[in-house]
Amino acid sequence: MTPVILLAAEKESAEVTDWAARVGWVVGLALFVALVYWLMREGWKWRGTLQGDLPELHSTPEEPGPAKLRMSGRYHGSTTAGQWLDRIVAHGLGTRSRAELTLTDAGLDVVRPGAGDFFVPADALRGARLDKGIAGKVLTEGGLFVVTWAHGERLIDSGFRSDHAAEHHEWVEAVNSMSNTIITTEGAER
């Protein structure tokens, strides 16, 4: 009997959780996540500052004329033409959102609930194409409707995805007929 008592006396109970260490790790992790978020936000603002030479976006004219085409879907952002990873964030062009597109003889009207609307005059349209990606969004081949347009001294690619992807081909033809320019997948004019 004595050996059993001795063995039981030698065993130790489980170690108690060190709550101070756990709280320290949680607070440290939260501070790290906050720092990363703050750095991302500062990088976004810095990119907008670098793109400060981009003129203000056009607003929709009083009488844009009758609609040739309408599309509802998503706006996925804008980049420098031919540079699908060079996102443009100035004037809210980097904000992804829902979008309602209307093509008229006056140009392309982009209405974005929760983000700034903009208008691309017909003489600024340089063409359209189907593509698979733009900064921050990659889809299947031809899943993205990309409009190339001139604004100030820059050529800009803006990516849209319709709620009904079958509409993309009709939009590409209509925009290209207005601009008389065909844009290749790489962003070069033909």
Side-chain angles (χ1 to χ4, degrees), residues 16-28:
V16 178
T17 304
D18 184 5
W19 286 105
R22 281 196 181 188
V23 169
W25 277 104
V26 169
V27 168

Side-chain angles (χ1 to χ4, degrees), residues 1-13:
M1 250 313 144
T2 312
V4 175
I5 294 174
L6 289 176
L7 288 175
E10 291 177 16
K11 288 189 175 183
E12 295 180 18
S13 61

Side-chain angles (χ1 to χ4, degrees), residues 77-88 126-135 144 146-150 153-159 182-189:
S78 292
T79 62
T80 302
Q83 305 290 322
W84 76 284
L85 290 175
D86 185 21
R87 183 187 300 262
I88 296 177
R126 296 295 182 259
R129 68 182 187 279
L130 296 180
D131 212 331
K132 64 180 177 181
I134 200 159
L144 195 66
V146 178
V147 176
T148 302
W149 51 288
E153 298 296 317
R154 282 194 196 180
L155 278 181
I156 299 174
D157 284 344
S158 294
I182 298 173
I183 304 295
T184 65
T185 304
E186 293 78 30
E189 294 183 12

